[in-house]
């Protein structure tokens, strides 16, 4: 929802990709080619907090990758 709400201001067109993979663990990623995060800006809103809580429940971790343009958010969890 954050990608839809914030990545494309002013009805700017764009793409959102959702991927899921499994193997030695599981990974869910959401990426977009929107405005991304400004240099030095860290995710800190409600959406990123929900993602962090999900990762904690899965005993996993989150990561954020700046793209040119856009942002990729990953949640990774390893089998117990």
């Amino acid at each position: 929802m954050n990608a839809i709400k914030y990545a494309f201001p002013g009805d700017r067109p764009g793409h959102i990709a959702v991927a899921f993979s499994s193997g030695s663990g599981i990974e869910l990623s959401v990426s977009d080619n929107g405005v991304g995060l400004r240099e030095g800006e860290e995710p800190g809103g409600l959406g990123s907090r929900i993602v962090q809580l999900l990762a904690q429940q899965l005993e996993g971790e989150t990561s954020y990758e700046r793209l040119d343009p856009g942002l990729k958010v990953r949640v990774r969890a390893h089998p117990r």
Side-chain angles (χ1 to χ4, degrees), residues 38-61:
R38 289 174 281 190
E39 194 62 39
E41 183 180 16
E42 294 296 323
L46 178 61
S48 63
R49 183 69 186 135
I50 291 170
V51 170
Q52 290 171 352
L53 290 171
L54 171 65
Q56 286 175 357
Q57 288 179 357
L58 297 172
E59 297 180 7
E61 65 270 347

Side-chain angles (χ1 to χ4, degrees), residues 3-52:
I4 292 169
K5 188 172 180 180
Y6 298 114
F8 310 107
D11 293 330
R12 173 183 160 171
H15 297 279
I16 298 171
V18 178
F20 179 82
S21 62
S22 62
S24 61
I26 60 170
E27 179 178 298
L28 172 68
S29 67
V30 178
S31 58
D32 65 64
N33 65 343
V35 297
L37 294 173
R38 289 174 281 190
E39 194 62 39
E41 183 180 16
E42 294 296 323
L46 178 61
S48 63
R49 183 69 186 135
I50 291 170
V51 170
Q52 290 171 352

